[in-house]
Amino acid sequence: MKYLFFSAFVFSALSVSCSRKEPADLYPADNPKADYDTAAIDSFSNGATSIDVVRQIRMSSKQYQDSVKEAIKLQEQEKKLKEELEKENKKKAEEAQRTEEKNKAKTAEIPAAGDAKTE
């Protein structure tokens, strides 16, 4: 008789604990839903690449290499143009100095020649 009560108690405890329960609705209809995407996007998500890897990919691309070469050519051309302009400016300055010296020499000679004529 003891075993009968004990087995009935165990059977009832098992039937109560193992009975199928309805899960609570995790997303009830009356809860407002966000209008925006709430999924977190970070560097550890699938498909994400490191900034360094992306930088290396961009730097190794043919378009980037071409643009670097073109920039170097432009810099060289600008440097050459500046040097040529500087040379031209120096030549002009020298010529201007020469003409000024000649003009000063001529003006100095003219009064001296005029003084000799008046005496």
Side-chain angles (χ1 to χ4, degrees), residues 40-86:
I41 298 173
D42 59 4
S43 61
F44 300 108
S45 63
N46 291 337
T49 54
S50 168
I51 293 172
D52 296 329
V53 172
V54 172
R55 183 173 174 263
Q56 288 175 352
I57 291 170
R58 287 184 183 157
M59 288 178 70
S60 66
S61 70
K62 181 151 178 69
Q63 183 180 11
Y64 179 78
Q65 295 297 328
D66 291 343
S67 66
V68 169
K69 289 178 184 177
E70 193 173 318
I72 291 172
K73 286 180 183 177
L74 287 173
Q75 286 178 351
E76 289 175 358
Q77 288 177 354
E78 288 177 359
K79 191 183 263 186
K80 287 179 183 177
L81 289 174
K82 285 181 182 179
E83 289 175 359
E84 290 176 6
L85 286 174
E86 287 176 3

Side-chain angles (χ1 to χ4, degrees), residues 7 10 13-14 20 33 36-37 41 46 48 56 70 93 103 115:
S7 61
V10 170
L14 284 175
R20 190 171 209 175
K33 294 193 178 192
Y36 52 88
D37 185 18
I41 298 173
N46 291 337
Q56 288 175 352
E70 193 173 318
N103 289 339
D115 290 335

Side-chain angles (χ1 to χ4, degrees), residues 5-35:
F5 287 121
F6 179 71
S7 61
F9 176 72
V10 170
F11 179 72
S12 64
L14 284 175
S15 65
V16 169
S17 64
C18 294
S19 65
R20 190 171 209 175
K21 295 180 182 177
E22 292 294 324
D25 189 13
L26 297 177
Y27 304 104
D30 60 339
N31 280 353
K33 294 193 178 192
D35 295 335

